[in-house]
Amino acid sequence: MEKYTQALPPHSPLHSPQSDSEALSRSPSRPQPAAVQLVSLPSTLTTPASCLYSAPQVSGGPHCLNPSTVSDQDDLTCLSWLHQRGNLLPLQPLTKITTLPQTLDSIPVQQLLSSPAKPPYSFSSLIFMAIEDSPEKRLPVKSIYQWIVDNFPYYKEAPGGWRNSVRHNLSLSKSFQRIHRDKSQSVGKGSLWRVCPEHRPALLEVLRKTHYCHRTNSSLLNKRVLLEAADDGQNTLGETMEISDLDFLSSNLPCSLTPDHEELVPLESVELTEVAGEDLEKDPLADSGYIELHYYQYQQYQYLVLPGDSELDLESVEILQLDAEAQEAAGSLLDLAGGNH
DNA sequence: TGTGCGGTAAACATCT
DNA sequence: TAGATGTTTACCGCAC
């Protein structure tokens, strides 16, 4: 069993409604008073699907989210969450994830991702992410293509017209600047493209909103459905459940199947070791302006446990994660977090 | 209904 | 010369 913790600023501008994304795996629900939420997160999927659940499990992953490490980030343009997630596919395999097969373990990842959905991100966002994900923060158009293909398999099989759209966006959008290559180092065709610094916050905002909109539109976020499924001893997706306390884990039902005969985590066999168990009684960060998230690993699933008195729901957590990353990327984490630092 | 935005297609020019 | 790259225009659908 592994445990991951990370502290996040609770009052970001994103902490409001919710966004979506990898969130597929963490279907949101409003927390009951003094409740602990548990979310099982399949973690066996490998790239690119793993990014759906990668936040806590990628090595060094949360560093960009942890305010304590902000100062370690010399590069304020860091979008290392792109690296942490591996990609932003979370929004893509929605249909796949929501229709988990009988036995997740027995289904090849490739099959799960056989027909990825079109990413909700605009081409501007895709280009932005691609460029930001590059070490030099500048890329030739060809590398932008490659990044998109690598991170969004949808485009691997999509007709070539999207490349035209990428070029169209690069040329048309004021958010991107063309940098003429030094002839001395001219290798290959074309110029390098970079993100126009003054438009970067706007791009981040668009990216965040895309995240948000997609999530709020997701049926996965329908708490009622989840609760009803729970009442039936079922878990709609094997992803989210809401419980009153941790005792539930050791005492409640064995896993049951969803109407789709999805295989769920056998809860009765889960042993959660709260490394810092007292945290659940009183969050030592309660007055610090941060909340602490507890991640547990059990077999192929991960569990996220929130303090019961937290006013955050899972969507908010998701939002916070993205937001914290985006804020840091923008170099304005402290400002957006309300100066709790 | 008008407007803005994003996606797509196409034509054309330029560059390697 | 071919293919990649860059620019521009036009059209469509959607959301507000």
Side-chain angles (χ1 to χ4, degrees):
Chain A
M1 170 99 66
E2 300 174 33
K3 178 187 180 232
Y4 308 82
T5 64
Q6 58 185 267
L8 297 174
H11 301 302
S12 79
L14 281 179
H15 179 212
S16 54
Q18 316 312 336
S19 79
D20 163 293
S21 87
E22 62 242 68
L24 305 173
S25 56
R26 305 179 211 167
S27 305
S29 56
R30 289 284 166 192
Q32 299 294 329
V36 172
Q37 292 179 324
L38 239 103
V39 186
S40 62
L41 307 175
S43 63
T44 50
L45 299 177
T46 56
T47 305
S50 60
C51 62
L52 289 169
Y53 325 106
S54 63
Q57 66 187 10
V58 173
S59 175
H63 79 279
C64 248
L65 306 178
N66 191 336
S68 67
T69 64
V70 170
S71 59
D72 297 333
Q73 293 285 327
D74 292 332
D75 184 2
L76 294 181
T77 65
C78 165
L79 268 186
S80 57
W81 51 283
L82 290 172
H83 297 285
Q84 295 167 25
R85 282 182 165 82
N87 56 44
L88 292 178
L89 271 180
L91 296 176
Q92 288 190 35
L94 181 58
T95 55
K96 297 303 175 185
I97 297 301
T98 55
T99 56
L100 290 177
Q102 289 189 354
T103 304
L104 187 62
D105 291 339
S106 65
I107 304 300
V109 172
Q110 287 72 16
Q111 186 173 336
L112 286 173
L113 303 172
S114 56
S115 27
K118 184 178 182 179
Y121 304 104
S122 69
F123 281 112
S124 293
S125 293
L126 293 175
I127 295 167
F128 171 60
M129 288 187 283
I131 294 174
E132 289 296 312
D133 200 29
S134 68
E136 306 290 331
K137 299 293 183 286
R138 58 191 64 184
L139 283 178
V141 67
K142 193 171 185 176
S143 296
I144 294 174
Y145 295 156
Q146 192 58 49
W147 187 93
I148 293 174
V149 166
D150 288 345
N151 291 277
F152 297 92
Y154 166 83
Y155 290 105
K156 207 170 287 182
E157 299 174 4
W162 66 270
R163 290 181 172 85
N164 191 10
S165 295
V166 168
R167 296 196 306 273
H168 167 79
N169 268 270
L170 284 170
S171 293
L172 208 63
S173 174
K174 296 176 181 176
S175 302
F176 307 110
Q177 290 179 331
R178 193 156 67 99
I179 304 172
H180 292 281
R181 277 177 163 169
D182 185 347
K183 288 190 175 181
S184 64
Q185 61 177 25
S186 176
V187 178
K189 298 178 180 179
S191 310
L192 296 173
W193 293 86
R194 70 162 187 157
V195 176
C196 193
E198 54 265 37
H199 288 94
R200 195 168 181 279
L203 288 167
L204 278 169
E205 178 72 8
V206 169
L207 194 58
R208 180 180 66 78
K209 284 181 177 177
T210 303
H211 222 63
Y212 164 74
C213 290
H214 193 81
R215 182 186 201 134
T216 52
N217 289 336
S218 170
S219 62
L220 289 178
L221 310 183
N222 190 326
K223 176 189 174 184
R224 184 173 198 139
V225 170
L226 294 171
L227 291 178
E228 287 173 355
D231 289 342
D232 293 339
Q234 299 172 338
N235 184 318
T236 307
L237 302 172
E239 295 167 342
T240 298
M241 59 185 60
E242 186 166 334
I243 58 177
S244 59
D245 55 49
L246 281 175
D247 292 340
F248 180 90
L249 284 175
S250 55
S251 63
N252 219 316
L253 332 159
C255 148
S256 53
L257 298 178
T258 70
D260 291 333
H261 304 287
E262 297 158 357
E263 182 166 300
L264 304 179
V265 176
L267 291 176
E268 80 282 6
S269 63
V270 173
E271 292 182 7
L272 288 178
T273 302
E274 172 61 20
V275 176
E278 57 276 16
D279 289 348
L280 290 177
E281 285 188 10
K282 184 181 189 318
D283 183 359
L285 297 175
D287 299 327
S288 68
Y290 295 93
I291 65 166
E292 190 167 20
L293 307 181
H294 303 264
Y295 290 97
Y296 299 87
Q297 176 83 39
Y298 176 74
Q299 292 184 349
Q300 76 270 35
Y301 292 93
Q302 287 185 340
Y303 298 87
L304 169 61
V305 178
L306 297 178
D309 55 356
S310 166
E311 293 184 356
L312 295 174
D313 58 359
L314 293 177
E315 297 173 77
S316 297
V317 171
E318 186 69 20
I319 264 285
L320 281 172
Q321 289 182 327
L322 174 66
D323 191 37
E325 292 161 346
Q327 288 169 20
E328 183 177 12
S332 57
L333 174 63
L334 297 182
D335 291 341
L336 294 176
N340 284 330
H341 216 65

